[in-house]
Amino acid sequence: MDRVIVPKIKSAANCPIPMCQSCQLSRARLRKPKVAKSKAIPDNAGALSRDQYCTGDFVSLDQYIVKTPGRLPTGYGKESYTNMFHGGETVNAKMAFEEWL
């Protein structure tokens, strides 16, 4: 049987036919990740930042204003404009930082 398409490069006629994606997925095997798990030592928690800040130290924070209201994770259905989230991440971060001290 004669070839319909004659390739320019003679070796291109012997190339393997590429597998489709579903065939490649069906031949896939589970491989173990080469990752070693480690446990945190409770005594060393916060070792890098320990003893650096005291209550009353000067700490600067970036502040931002968000005009577009967002959804609260506790709400459902249509919320009123006053119950929507209005960008208070700076306040939440500051409160978490003060609790950490």
Side-chain angles (χ1 to χ4, degrees):
M1 185 159 133
D2 293 333
R3 287 187 264 172
V4 177
I5 300 174
V6 179
K8 291 180 184 178
I9 304 170
K10 300 257 185 215
S11 62
N14 299 332
C15 291
I17 299 172
M19 260 200 267
C20 67
Q21 192 173 13
S22 59
C23 294
Q24 288 177 353
L25 285 172
S26 67
R27 292 182 50 93
R29 299 283 181 252
L30 180 66
R31 296 190 316 178
K32 302 275 188 218
K34 296 178 181 177
V35 176
K37 291 186 178 180
S38 62
K39 291 184 179 180
I41 301 170
D43 296 337
N44 294 341
L48 295 176
S49 59
R50 187 182 309 135
D51 301 329
Q52 287 187 357
Y53 300 109
C54 296
T55 306
D57 283 352
F58 179 77
V59 177
S60 60
L61 295 171
D62 291 336
Q63 300 204 359
Y64 61 93
I65 298 172
V66 178
K67 298 286 185 180
T68 308
R71 295 293 306 257
L72 290 172
T74 56
Y76 61 93
K78 183 159 177 69
E79 296 175 337
S80 67
Y81 184 78
T82 57
N83 291 339
M84 292 184 168
F85 184 73
H86 292 282
E89 189 63 31
T90 305
V91 175
N92 294 340
K94 181 178 180 277
M95 288 167 46
F97 178 73
E98 288 172 350
E99 288 176 7
W100 176 74
L101 287 178

